[in-house]
Amino acid sequence: MATTTSTQLPATFEDALKEHLKFYSRVTCKVAILLIVGGVGLDAAFYPQHMVEFAVVRVLVALLILLTLLTYSTPFGDHNIRRLTYFWIALPQLMIAWMIFHADGENSIYFVGLTFAISGIGFFLPLTIVEAFLFSSFTLLVYVLACVLRPEGVQDAHLFQGQIIFIVFYAVISVVISIYSGRWRKQAYALQSEVQSKNRELMETNRTLAEVKGQLLQREKMAAIGTLSAGLLHELNNPVNYSLMAINMGLTSPATESDAMLKESLVDAREGMQRIQNIVSDLKTFAYQKPGQDSQRLFLLENAIRSAQRLAGHELKSIKVSVELPQDTHVLGDEPAIIGVLINLFSNAAHAVQAARRAEPEIAVRVAARGGRLGISMRDNGQGIAPENLARVFEPFFTTRDVGAGLGLGLSVSYGIVQRHGGTLAVESEQGAWTEFTFDLPMPQ
């Protein structure tokens, strides 16, 4: 039932019926105008003596139908589409009845035009049973009046009776068509509604699959990076250890004790190498454990926070980071994944405070036990998040950073990780003032 050019199905069957009536009423108007004007040829063939007056009436009726058609494009026409349809479909019947009255009465061949109109209107327009019955009764009435009211009256009663029966037959056909057309339209609308609903579900499923595919690709990349990093970290760790051993031996040398500058340089070098050693140790957490493996093992959240802080150290330069911890920070979960979440939160917080250009940029991490779980909150005094973006920050590929500065997957992946641990990653913010992310992890019983 493609009655409109829009691909969106009307909200209700009544709306769909109105659109159907509007579409086919326009089409039938145009067909009626062509047939009425083209009937001049019939007048020339059957009633040449009435040709001029019949032609004038035909033109007038065609113009009235055309004006009705033009009215459909106005708000009045849109609101009164059914009444206007009743008006114009009566015009051809009145015109034909008038011609029968002025011509041969029951002997006129034009009664056939009345039967064509009954069946055509019943087939094309979505008339109800009552409307189809009333239109057929109206047609029968005007035909009877056209024959009976003639000055000569009815000349051939048997012919008159037979033609009335013909009109009644077509009236029955029109009513039956209206019954089954109504059922077909309802079924078609129900099927279209179901197809549209299934299409929406399919589009939603495809969107979800695309998001899952993106996350799976990201995890595969991270797994590949972890495998590659494992070998690199092993190779990196050896020269670091050798260098530390050499530095420590240098610090025990008598020459070092007598040279303050040399000793200070060696101490600085040892601190730098120890920092490298700590970073390598933190990276090993990612490299040697695959995602999902032993995801409920016991670990210290305190260590995870420190590892994440060190790994995000480059972005956290010149930013004050305060950490408040309870006495016991043992939790159950996937330590590498949680470190990844914390790194992402540190990185976002650092970006926010740098963009805000605060005189005293600060990130505050608070950890507290509540209800058998350990809650973590990270609050920054950055530029905050706009209210219209607050509900979208966890959407895949959504980012407010410049093009090329990020894919917008960090918070989406982090949300999934926290959810896998039975918690929810939540955010609160005041634009221009602060942003706070919170989540919690299960504690061991």
Side-chain angles (χ1 to χ4, degrees):
M1 189 178 63
T3 60
T4 65
T5 56
S6 174
T7 57
Q8 182 66 30
L9 195 65
T12 63
F13 176 68
E14 288 71 22
D15 293 337
L17 203 61
K18 182 179 178 181
E19 292 297 321
H20 186 86
L21 177 62
K22 190 185 302 182
F23 177 81
Y24 279 107
S25 187
R26 285 193 176 100
V27 173
T28 315
C29 270
K30 296 172 183 176
V31 173
I33 291 171
L34 290 175
L35 292 177
I36 289 170
V37 174
V40 173
L42 294 175
D43 299 337
F46 292 108
Y47 303 108
Q49 69 276 20
H50 297 293
M51 183 176 173
V52 175
E53 57 183 327
F54 281 9
V56 172
V57 173
R58 285 181 181 278
V59 171
L60 289 175
V61 171
L63 286 174
L64 284 173
I65 296 176
L66 178 61
L67 288 173
T68 305
L69 176 62
L70 295 175
T71 307
Y72 286 170
S73 301
T74 66
F76 172 81
D78 185 72
H79 185 69
N80 296 279
I81 182 71
R82 191 164 288 274
R83 293 187 182 89
L84 289 171
T85 301
Y86 296 156
F87 168 73
W88 80 257
I89 62 175
L91 293 177
Q93 307 301 73
L94 291 172
M95 179 193 74
I96 295 172
W98 180 83
M99 291 177 175
I100 291 172
F101 175 83
H102 282 280
D104 296 335
E106 70 277 3
N107 292 303
S108 175
I109 192 64
Y110 280 3
F111 92 95
V112 176
L114 297 175
T115 61
F116 284 167
I118 291 174
S119 57
I121 295 299
F123 183 81
F124 285 106
L125 297 180
L127 300 179
T128 64
I129 301 173
V130 175
E131 290 169 342
F133 175 77
L134 290 176
F135 178 68
S136 301
S137 300
F138 169 76
T139 301
L140 181 61
L141 176 64
V142 296
Y143 175 70
V144 170
L145 292 176
C147 295
V148 172
L149 296 179
R150 295 177 69 245
E152 301 85 355
V154 176
Q155 298 295 312
D156 189 338
H158 293 290
L159 180 62
F160 179 59
Q161 181 181 358
Q163 290 176 348
I164 287 176
I165 293 173
F166 264 112
I167 294 175
V168 171
F169 285 169
Y170 274 93
V172 172
I173 293 172
S174 177
V175 171
V176 172
I177 288 175
S178 68
I179 293 172
Y180 285 98
S181 293
R183 292 181 182 178
W184 294 334
R185 291 185 187 104
K186 283 185 178 179
Q187 291 175 356
Y189 179 80
L191 287 173
Q192 283 186 311
S193 298
E194 185 177 356
V195 169
Q196 184 170 279
S197 176
K198 295 295 182 184
N199 282 339
R200 283 197 296 263
E201 291 177 8
L202 185 60
M203 290 174 64
E204 181 64 23
T205 301
N206 286 338
R207 188 185 66 81
T208 304
L209 287 175
E211 294 175 4
V212 172
K213 181 180 178 181
Q215 293 183 9
L216 288 176
L217 289 173
Q218 185 72 7
R219 290 183 183 183
E220 288 178 5
K221 290 177 183 178
M222 293 304 295
I225 292 172
T227 303
L228 176 64
S229 300
L232 291 175
L233 292 174
H234 179 73
E235 294 300 323
L236 182 62
N237 205 37
N238 287 334
V240 168
N241 289 333
Y242 298 154
S243 299
L244 277 174
M245 289 175 61
I247 292 170
N248 288 329
M249 289 180 64
L251 285 171
T252 61
S253 171
T256 303
E257 293 294 334
S258 61
D259 191 336
M261 184 176 294
L262 176 59
K263 183 177 181 179
E264 184 179 356
S265 297
L266 289 174
V267 169
D268 290 342
R270 182 174 63 181
E271 290 179 357
M273 296 306 292
Q274 286 174 339
R275 177 168 175 77
I276 293 174
Q277 197 174 47
N278 288 334
I279 292 174
V280 169
S281 176
D282 293 333
L283 288 172
K284 281 182 179 179
T285 308
F286 293 104
Y288 288 105
Q289 187 175 1
K290 296 180 181 179
Q293 180 184 8
D294 193 19
S295 60
Q296 286 298 313
R297 68 187 184 91
L298 188 66
F299 69 94
L300 278 171
L301 182 60
E302 177 183 358
N303 292 343
I305 294 174
R306 287 175 179 170
S307 294
Q309 191 175 349
R310 281 195 296 267
L311 292 172
H314 177 72
E315 295 178 283
L316 296 174
K317 284 182 179 178
S318 71
I319 299 174
K320 179 185 177 182
V321 179
S322 61
V323 181
E324 289 186 9
L325 299 166
Q327 187 173 0
D328 183 10
T329 63
H330 283 91
V331 289
L332 293 171
D334 186 345
E335 185 179 7
I338 296 303
I339 293 175
V341 172
L342 292 167
I343 290 173
N344 185 59
L345 295 181
F346 273 125
S347 175
N348 286 345
H351 180 269
V353 296
Q354 288 166 2
R357 301 183 182 277
R358 300 293 187 198
E360 296 182 0
E362 183 179 0
I363 299 173
V365 180
R366 305 287 184 268
V367 179
R370 52 176 182 265
R373 297 179 70 86
L374 209 58
I376 304 100
S377 70
M378 187 179 298
R379 184 182 181 116
D380 64 70
N381 62 346
Q383 58 186 356
I385 301 172
E388 63 270 17
N389 294 331
L390 198 59
R392 301 188 59 198
V393 294
F394 299 117
E395 292 181 8
F397 306 108
F398 176 78
T399 179
T400 57
R401 298 191 185 186
D402 296 334
V403 176
L407 292 176
L409 283 172
L411 287 176
S412 174
V413 174
S414 298
Y415 187 91
I417 291 171
V418 173
Q419 196 173 43
R420 198 170 72 235
H421 285 75
T424 300
L425 181 60
V427 60
E428 294 182 11
S429 182
E430 181 181 332
Q431 189 172 11
W434 54 269
T435 300
E436 183 175 22
F437 284 89
T438 59
F439 66 96
D440 56 23
L441 298 170
M443 298 175 66
Q445 297 298 321

